[in-house]
Amino acid sequence: MGISFSSIISKFRSKAHKTKPRDILIGRRDLNSTWYPKNVIRNQKYNIITFIPLVLFEQFRTFFNLYFLIMACTQFIPAFRIGYLYTYWAPLGFVVCVTMLREAYDDIKRAYRDREINSQKYTLLNENGRKEEIFSSELEVSDVIIIHKNQRIPADVVLLHTSDKSGTCFIRTDQLDGETDWKLRIAPPPIQSLDDISILISDRTHTGKIHAEPPCLNIHDFNGVISWKNDEPLTVENVLWSGTVMATGDAICCVIYTGSDTRMVMNTNKPQSKFGLVDEEINTLTKILFIGSFILSVIMVASKGFYGPWFHHLIRFILLFSYMIPISLRVNLDLSKIAYSWFIQQDKNISGSIVRTSAIPEELGRIGYILTDKTGTLTQNLMTFKRLSLGTDSYTSENQMEILKLVETEYAKTTTSTQESQEPIVPSTSSFGGTRKSVKKTDTKKALEAIKALALCHNVTPVYDEPASTSLDASAKRDDEHHTPPDTPMTGVTSVNTTTGSDYIELLPSADSPKIVSYQASSPDEIAIVQWTEQVGLTLVQRSLKSIILKLNSTQQLFHYEILELFPFTPETKRMGIILRDEQTNEIIFYLKGADTVMQNIVQYNDWLHEECSNMAREGLRTLVVAKKYLTNEQYQVFQQRLLKARLQTINRIRCVNEVIETLEHDMELLCISGVEDQLQEDVRHTLETLHKGGIKIWMLTGDKLETATCIAKSSKLIRRNDDIYIIQQVTTREECLQEINIFKRKIDACLIITGDALQICLSFYEKDFMELIIQSPSIVVCRCSPTQKATVANLLKKYGDNRVRVCAIGDGGNDVSMIQSAHVGIGIVGKEGKQASLAADFSINQFSYLSRLLFIHGRYNYKRAAALSQFIIHRGIILTVMQAIFSSIFYFATISMYPSFLLVGYGTVYTMLPVFSLVLDKDVPEEIALLYPELYKELSKGRNLSFKTFFLWVFISCYQGGAIVYGSFLIFDEDWTHIVSITFTSLILTELLMIAITIRTWHPLMIISELLSLVAYFVSLVIFKSYFDLAYLVSWAFVWRVVVITVVSCLPLYILKFIQIKFKPPIHEKLAQYATLK
């Protein structure tokens, strides 16, 4: 646990850095006039100063522990002392020490993880151009640092310069927004054009300055200005957020936000101590027990008479009856939690599972809602191209060789036709330079044009990576030539954004200089499509801001296209377009692809688009409709002028631009429909189906777009085939919210799909009504959901959901941490998106499919065992209190203890602790039955195993057995009252051991051993403490048979009642267990 004095001092500092825009002088940390937080990551709950106070507060804020603290403190007063001090203080001290050790161990592990991140080294660029290695925790606002490939971005920074000539680089944002596709970032052109970046720092005449907005939560937007000679606007494309990773090349950046001001920290909740539902229920029962002991004490005093020091008698009776709330309950529960955690980690069927919070393992048996991420949790985020539909024909992976030969053959025909033709080049529709003919296209030509459209209509960039040895050799050669470190970063990765001519030829793989190519784009769907076109013979080999180069694999021939305009995909338009000039034919082609809902009104009339899209959607495929249109030079010139005019608008610019683009989006030729599959995690469908049967409602919260989220929800069976679906996409006013809510109310058992923005607006107007409505839905999908919104949903579900069940959140990325920490139970998956979610979660698993076993087996057993263990220990305390009350009433309401202190301590420890604790090995049903019939899990959500009904049933049993032992002893041994201690205590021990045997459902060898050891320990203690016992009398046959009779009277009726219940009205799990045994 680290000392965080700076965090304490920061509480008293000015908050100007949080609320005001900041002006940063690049590279001049010494000129910072405002205090900024240290750049440290801190996930610890305590420090050396706060550890003891906070742990003690957490311990004694519960009534259970506070009660025992007060009882123990009264023993310092001689008038109230019942026995030795150790009788009260030893168990209480043991409980507190165990808790403190557990909390310290968990927090020390967090501290080591934080130290590992904070001690990562980065290269700082000084004022004189020299480089210095510093820890990430030492970075300050305005520092200029060099970030290398695969390094974590240590703070929020502005991109100044990249190793790529174009000033671009790619970053991985999976730890921030959950999306594993790479994002393109661009350095400001004036700064990228500098040969020596250190001039920004050293030039006194033109000081580099960055004006940045105040820190905020929004990770999709940024407003700023960088000034050096001239002003250049900064957007989110110029910024790298903390927690992302540099994917390609090296970059020089300037730090603008540190520590708690970074977007990632602001979107992450601080870890909180979690208090289990079972602990809350036990805390409630202890309050009832205290009220019961107090009433019993008042009755005893009233029976004795309110005269003399009656108040002292009342206090002493309360102390005598304090065993009704046994301190051993807390000890046994804490130890049982450790045992449950160990069982989970040792389960070979869910190997690799880790319990990081050992305080709530029994909560796994009370899950009613599951909030799950999509990317990397339900899916592998591994896109695979599955189908290309042309209406009349359909191509899949099974006939891939057929389409490969089609591309080669059709291209050969086109090439021959072009070579034979001596006519001038005119616009045509044929592929790769053929002439247009006014005849109906053949199916092969349709397929070829569709493949070409897929290879051109996208935003994918190929990135070439040299093998490590090649890169190192080249770097060493440069160092040898110049004998000085380079001023700009060097990398083995080359983006082909700026390569032309001979530079491009150098990038092509060869035997002498092999290159590794990878495709990067904002959408993994596009990457899958481009990879498929490569497999069928048409490869994307170069992409810049102004050109695309394709290669025909069979002949290695290159085809050049000039990018005239690019219209990126947006959630509003649901489509993307590109206008190209074919440099072989000088044709201008407008390609467009998008969702079928918008494309069906853009393409020419057809009779197969809707049907084919529906068929693919039923297969769980993500569909894109592709179309094209030829433009003449005159048409394009007019369009370009109108587009330029719209882009110069300062008011409603986006609307004006879209209106101009829409002038082209009509009567387009439908080419094809592509179908891409996002591969699900192993056994996801079966797991979700099992969870549904177990009565668990599942909500999917994802940052992905609505269409993708809907497709995955259907393919994973989160939304089942017959489920009705209602979509709330855009609402802006209170009236629209109310209208949507009223419509959804009329839907019976409908699944809701809603965007994060719409959800936020609905909650702002009708939080209570909306939440009470949607929690009744079998499944909810929230798309475009930020990390903060995920945590908000978890908190609202805890507030408005069924308080008898718990909310579980599961995810695998850094964007899921807030949700995981906000839920009652957080589960992290170790996957492609790193370990941040796993490290922050209460439980860590390797696969989503492990969830069913974790809940239905370990969750069931943990909850059942915790309920049985706690109620049996309460029974053990009540029976002792009943015996004490009867004893005192018989002896004129004397406030003296029935048993010596050492027997009372031994009763809760060596005599009964092992058999009672062995209940953690009990199993009510076999594992196979629990998995085969997930409906059994529904029973647990009702909380019947630990309820007022079962509690008062155990109270009745305790009263009966306590009365049977004491009154039975006095009736049978009326002439031997002097042996009342040995008589009643022996019967009490035997009764407890037999009750444990009656309670156990599935015997384990350790249970038998613990019963025998407890008996041996008791008989040995009779010999050791012979001054308290008459051994000659205890070994007599008269004593033995009378004790046996008393024990049988106290236990036999209960065994008979249990046998009758199981025989004539068995619970459902008993029926299933018997059925499985018969089979």
Side-chain angles (χ1 to χ4, degrees):
M1 294 170 291
I3 304 176
S4 183
F5 295 108
S6 59
S7 62
I8 298 174
I9 295 173
S10 67
K11 301 292 184 184
F12 304 98
R13 292 188 183 271
S14 171
K15 301 298 181 183
H17 66 96
K18 288 282 190 185
T19 58
K20 296 181 180 180
R22 53 185 67 182
D23 292 309
I24 302 162
L25 297 177
I26 299 175
R28 300 298 304 273
R29 63 159 69 176
D30 55 310
L31 298 180
N32 287 338
S33 58
T34 305
W35 177 87
Y36 299 112
K38 291 188 65 177
N39 190 49
V40 294
I41 290 178
R42 178 177 171 80
N43 291 308
Q44 297 165 250
K45 292 195 292 185
Y46 315 105
N47 57 50
I48 290 208
I49 295 176
T50 63
F51 175 70
I52 293 179
L54 287 180
V55 172
L56 291 180
F57 172 76
E58 289 291 335
Q59 283 296 295
F60 293 115
R61 73 172 182 170
T62 62
F63 177 81
F64 187 89
N65 289 343
L66 181 62
Y67 170 78
F68 273 102
L69 178 64
I70 296 173
M71 293 297 101
C73 289
T74 60
Q75 296 305 289
F76 289 113
I77 304 174
F80 298 148
R81 184 173 297 175
I82 298 298
Y84 295 105
L85 286 175
Y86 68 80
T87 306
Y88 288 87
W89 281 101
L92 182 62
F94 178 76
V95 169
V96 173
C97 287
V98 167
T99 303
M100 293 181 74
L101 288 173
R102 186 185 66 203
E103 289 292 325
Y105 175 72
D106 290 342
D107 216 46
I108 287 172
K109 287 196 296 183
R110 295 189 195 101
Y112 276 118
R113 293 196 295 267
D114 291 344
R115 184 181 299 176
E116 181 181 350
I117 295 176
N118 293 327
S119 60
Q120 291 176 353
K121 288 189 175 182
Y122 293 85
T123 303
L124 176 69
L125 196 62
N126 291 324
E127 182 180 351
N128 54 9
R130 298 184 61 182
K131 299 173 183 176
E132 177 186 353
E133 294 288 324
I134 65 172
F135 295 120
S136 65
S137 58
E138 298 172 347
L139 291 175
E140 296 184 17
V141 172
S142 83
D143 282 349
V144 177
I145 59 174
I146 299 176
I147 302 174
H148 301 286
K149 179 187 176 184
N150 291 328
Q151 266 195 313
R152 182 185 66 89
I153 310 301
D156 290 350
V157 298
V158 168
L159 182 62
L160 300 178
H161 196 279
T162 70
S163 57
D164 193 290
K165 296 177 185 178
S166 65
T168 60
C169 67
F170 285 95
I171 59 171
R172 296 196 297 269
T173 62
D174 46 24
Q175 292 298 315
L176 188 64
D177 58 15
E179 299 180 9
T180 55
D181 48 280
W182 293 6
K183 305 295 190 302
L184 180 69
R185 292 295 180 261
I186 305 171
I191 310 300
Q192 175 65 26
S193 63
L194 294 175
D195 295 329
D196 185 2
I197 199 69
S198 63
I199 195 173
L200 273 177
I201 310 171
S202 57
D203 190 349
R204 301 297 186 185
T205 58
H206 299 91
T207 305
K209 183 190 293 185
I210 296 175
H211 177 79
E213 64 184 1
C216 66
L217 293 169
N218 193 345
I219 62 176
H220 301 295
D221 190 25
F222 175 77
N223 291 313
V225 176
I226 185 168
S227 304
W228 190 75
K229 295 185 179 179
N230 294 308
D231 292 345
E232 182 76 17
L234 296 175
T235 66
V236 71
E237 290 185 342
N238 309 118
V239 180
L240 314 181
W241 299 132
S242 171
T244 59
V245 177
M246 182 66 65
T248 61
D250 300 346
I252 298 177
C253 307
C254 178
V255 177
I256 56 172
Y257 303 118
T258 55
S260 59
D261 287 347
T262 61
R263 295 294 205 268
M264 187 166 194
V265 173
M266 294 182 73
N267 277 283
T268 304
N269 291 345
K270 293 183 179 180
Q272 301 174 350
S273 297
K274 295 187 177 181
F275 196 66
L277 184 58
V278 171
D279 293 324
E280 291 180 4
E281 291 169 342
I282 291 174
N283 198 41
T284 302
L285 296 181
T286 55
K287 294 177 183 178
I288 297 175
L289 290 173
F290 170 73
I291 294 173
S293 65
F294 180 79
I295 293 174
L296 183 60
S297 300
V298 171
I299 293 173
M300 298 296 286
V301 172
S303 301
K304 187 174 184 178
F306 290 100
Y307 57 85
W310 67 269
F311 185 78
H312 285 186
H313 295 319
L314 178 64
I315 300 297
R316 287 181 63 85
F317 272 124
I318 292 175
L319 290 170
L320 282 174
F321 300 153
S322 64
Y323 287 100
M324 187 180 288
I325 312 173
I327 188 64
S328 58
L329 175 59
R330 187 75 266 162
V331 177
N332 280 273
L333 287 178
D334 286 344
L335 292 177
S336 67
K337 292 174 188 291
I338 297 174
Y340 303 149
S341 303
W342 188 81
F343 293 152
I344 293 173
Q345 295 180 157
Q346 297 301 310
D347 190 343
K348 295 181 180 179
N349 293 306
I350 51 174
S351 59
S353 300
I354 300 173
V355 179
R356 302 193 187 278
T357 304
S358 56
I360 55 171
E362 67 279 355
E363 295 293 272
L364 295 170
R366 302 288 294 277
I367 302 300
Y369 304 95
I370 290 180
L371 306 180
T372 176
D373 180 36
K374 178 190 73 69
T375 306
T377 304
L378 297 180
T379 71
Q380 302 179 36
N381 203 38
L382 184 61
M383 304 298 173
T384 305
F385 189 91
K386 286 292 186 181
R387 176 168 297 180
L388 176 68
S389 176
L390 305 177
T392 55
D393 293 314
S394 182
Y395 297 95
T396 64
S397 56
E398 296 177 357
N399 53 7
Q400 184 169 309
M401 290 304 298
E402 177 184 341
I403 199 167
L404 179 62
K405 292 178 181 179
L406 182 149
V407 171
E408 295 177 0
T409 305
E410 198 61 29
Y411 170 74
K413 292 179 182 178
T414 305
T415 304
T416 303
S417 174
T418 304
Q419 290 175 351
E420 292 177 354
S421 174
Q422 301 299 323
E423 298 178 4
I425 297 176
V426 294
S428 67
T429 59
S430 62
S431 303
F432 305 108
T435 57
R436 187 187 310 181
K437 300 179 181 178
S438 58
V439 295
K440 187 175 181 180
K441 296 177 185 174
T442 64
D443 291 340
T444 55
K445 285 189 178 294
K446 287 183 181 179
L448 196 59
E449 290 184 7
I451 294 169
K452 187 175 78 166
L454 292 175
L456 291 171
C457 186
H458 53 71
N459 200 15
V460 180
T461 302
V463 177
Y464 292 88
D465 192 354
E466 295 181 0
S469 59
T470 306
S471 178
L472 291 174
D473 291 344
S475 179
K477 183 178 179 180
R478 287 192 293 267
D479 290 345
D480 291 340
E481 290 175 357
H482 300 286
H483 304 289
T484 57
D487 291 332
T488 56
M490 289 183 293
T491 176
V493 176
T494 306
S495 173
V496 294
N497 288 345
T498 58
T499 57
T500 57
S502 61
D503 292 335
Y504 168 68
I505 299 300
E506 291 178 3
L507 286 175
L508 288 177
S510 65
D512 297 331
S513 59
K515 307 276 185 178
I516 301 173
V517 64
S518 61
Y519 296 111
Q520 302 304 331
S522 59
S523 170
D525 300 62
E526 292 192 328
I527 295 176
I529 291 173
V530 171
Q531 288 174 337
W532 181 79
T533 62
E534 178 184 2
Q535 293 171 7
V536 298
L538 199 57
T539 302
L540 172 69
V541 292
Q542 191 253 344
R543 171 70 177 260
S544 71
L545 298 175
K546 291 297 180 183
S547 67
I548 292 178
I549 299 178
L550 300 181
K551 180 184 71 173
L552 190 68
N553 296 349
S554 59
T555 63
Q556 301 295 304
Q557 188 173 354
L558 305 178
F559 300 90
H560 298 260
Y561 297 86
E562 179 187 357
I563 300 176
L564 301 178
E565 300 291 346
L566 179 67
F567 314 121
F569 178 91
T570 64
E572 292 76 26
T573 62
K574 299 181 183 178
R575 56 190 181 273
M576 71 86 59
I578 187 170
I579 300 178
L580 300 167
R581 186 189 301 276
D582 188 339
E583 294 185 5
Q584 287 70 235
T585 64
N586 208 31
E587 293 175 325
I588 298 177
I589 313 171
F590 174 37
Y591 288 109
L592 188 69
K593 70 177 181 183
D596 60 298
T597 53
V598 295
M599 293 295 291
Q600 62 186 359
N601 298 320
I602 294 174
V603 299
Q604 297 170 352
Y605 173 77
N606 62 87
D607 57 358
W608 58 273
L609 173 60
H610 178 73
E611 181 181 357
E612 194 63 26
C613 286
S614 300
N615 292 336
M616 288 189 179
R618 279 192 288 270
E619 296 176 18
L621 302 182
R622 298 150 63 122
T623 58
L624 283 173
V625 179
V626 185
K628 77 170 183 178
K629 185 177 188 179
Y630 285 97
L631 304 177
T632 64
N633 284 325
E634 293 77 13
Q635 287 176 325
Y636 174 67
Q637 292 298 330
V638 173
F639 171 79
Q640 187 183 35
Q641 292 173 5
R642 295 182 62 192
L643 185 64
L644 179 61
K645 183 179 178 180
R647 285 173 173 169
L648 292 176
Q649 296 291 326
T650 56
I651 301 175
N652 295 326
R653 178 188 300 171
I654 296 177
R655 182 175 61 83
C656 294
V657 169
N658 288 337
E659 288 177 354
V660 173
I661 297 173
E662 288 173 2
T663 61
L664 295 181
E665 296 175 338
H666 60 86
D667 293 329
M668 298 190 69
E669 179 186 352
L670 176 60
L671 294 178
C672 64
I673 303 172
S674 64
V676 176
E677 180 185 46
D678 187 356
Q679 294 185 14
L680 299 174
Q681 293 278 3
E682 184 179 355
D683 289 335
V684 160
R685 291 189 180 94
H686 178 262
T687 302
L688 290 175
E689 184 180 0
T690 304
L691 294 174
H692 276 303
K693 290 180 179 178
I696 299 175
K697 295 181 179 180
I698 305 170
W699 294 24
M700 184 172 77
L701 312 180
T702 176
D704 220 329
K705 57 182 183 287
L706 186 142
E707 291 79 12
T708 305
T710 304
C711 184
I712 294 301
K714 291 179 179 178
S715 63
S716 65
K717 307 302 182 187
L718 175 66
I719 296 177
R720 287 159 287 190
R721 176 171 294 184
N722 297 326
D723 286 343
D724 191 13
I725 299 175
Y726 186 71
I727 299 176
I728 302 177
Q729 192 165 351
Q730 287 185 343
V731 290
T732 54
T733 64
R734 178 186 291 269
E735 291 73 20
E736 291 178 353
C737 290
L738 184 59
Q739 182 181 1
E740 295 286 356
I741 291 173
N742 289 333
I743 294 174
F744 186 61
K745 276 182 180 178
R746 293 193 288 269
K747 304 285 185 178
I748 300 175
D749 290 333
C751 299
L752 176 66
I753 301 177
I754 185 171
T755 62
D757 292 339
L759 175 67
Q760 188 170 352
I761 293 173
C762 289
L763 293 175
S764 64
F765 292 126
Y766 300 102
E767 178 183 297
K768 185 174 185 294
D769 295 336
F770 189 67
M771 286 302 300
E772 290 179 348
L773 174 64
I774 65 176
I775 58 176
Q776 306 300 325
S777 178
S779 297
I780 303 289
V781 176
V782 184
C783 54
R784 290 297 179 188
C785 189
S786 69
T788 305
Q789 286 176 328
K790 290 184 178 183
T792 301
V793 171
N795 288 321
L796 289 173
L797 200 49
K798 289 162 58 177
K799 180 179 179 181
Y800 294 105
D802 187 350
N803 56 13
R804 295 178 300 175
V805 296
R806 304 312 255 175
V807 177
C808 171
I810 180 168
D812 71 321
N815 63 315
D816 302 317
V817 170
S818 295
M819 174 180 70
I820 286 172
Q821 292 179 339
S822 298
H824 292 123
V825 179
I827 301 177
I829 296 180
V830 180
K832 292 181 180 180
E833 297 189 19
K835 294 185 177 180
Q836 189 169 356
S838 168
L839 296 175
D842 304 308
F843 303 90
S844 172
I845 58 179
N846 289 334
Q847 295 180 25
F848 184 84
S849 59
Y850 287 178
L851 197 58
S852 57
R853 185 173 181 87
L854 190 66
L855 300 185
F856 295 157
I857 293 181
H858 292 287
R860 178 183 186 83
Y861 289 165
N862 293 350
Y863 171 61
K864 288 269 189 176
R865 291 162 175 170
L869 181 65
S870 58
Q871 291 183 125
F872 198 90
I873 295 173
I874 289 174
H875 152 76
R876 192 175 62 182
I878 295 177
I879 191 174
L880 189 64
T881 302
V882 170
M883 293 174 66
Q884 175 68 52
I886 296 174
F887 175 82
S888 296
S889 62
I890 291 175
F891 288 96
Y892 307 103
F893 303 100
T895 56
I896 57 174
S897 177
M898 184 177 183
Y899 300 115
S901 297
F902 74 91
L903 282 182
L904 294 176
V905 174
Y907 173 68
T909 54
V910 293
Y911 299 152
T912 60
M913 182 174 180
L914 285 179
V916 171
F917 191 74
S918 69
L919 290 173
V920 302
L921 301 172
D922 194 19
K923 298 180 180 180
D924 64 327
V925 294
E927 295 181 2
E928 298 78 12
I929 297 296
L931 288 176
L932 187 60
Y933 300 99
E935 293 82 2
L936 290 174
Y937 193 81
K938 289 183 181 179
E939 293 184 355
L940 305 183
S941 63
K942 300 174 183 177
R944 292 175 177 173
N945 294 91
L946 186 59
S947 61
F948 290 123
K949 178 181 178 180
T950 58
F951 168 72
F952 286 112
L953 179 61
W954 277 103
V955 170
F956 172 77
I957 292 172
S958 302
C959 293
Y960 165 74
Q961 290 184 327
I965 292 173
V966 176
Y967 285 120
S969 299
F970 280 112
L971 289 174
I972 299 178
F973 294 88
D974 55 342
E975 73 280 2
D976 293 318
W977 283 20
T978 55
H979 298 111
I980 191 66
V981 171
S982 57
I983 295 168
T984 56
F985 199 76
T986 302
S987 301
L988 176 62
I989 296 298
L990 293 177
T991 297
E992 288 301 298
L993 296 180
L994 284 175
M995 283 299 296
I996 293 169
I998 294 173
T999 304
I1000 292 172
R1001 300 179 182 89
T1002 305
W1003 282 90
H1004 189 280
L1006 289 178
M1007 294 176 172
I1008 300 173
I1009 294 173
S1010 64
E1011 293 262 350
L1012 295 176
L1013 285 177
S1014 296
L1015 277 175
V1016 171
Y1018 176 64
F1019 290 128
V1020 169
S1021 66
L1022 294 180
V1023 177
I1024 295 175
F1025 300 103
K1026 55 186 177 182
S1027 59
Y1028 291 91
F1029 301 101
D1030 183 357
L1031 292 180
Y1033 177 75
L1034 294 180
V1035 297
S1036 64
W1037 176 248
F1039 171 80
V1040 171
W1041 78 261
R1042 286 179 172 85
V1043 168
V1044 169
V1045 169
I1046 294 174
T1047 305
V1048 169
V1049 170
S1050 66
C1051 295
L1052 186 60
L1054 300 176
Y1055 176 78
I1056 294 173
L1057 290 175
K1058 182 180 179 181
F1059 176 80
I1060 293 173
Q1061 181 190 20
I1062 295 176
K1063 188 71 175 177
F1064 296 101
K1065 193 180 179 182
I1068 183 64
H1069 62 267
E1070 292 284 357
K1071 294 179 181 178
L1072 293 174
Q1074 293 173 6
Y1075 175 72
T1077 304
L1078 292 174
K1079 290 184 68 176

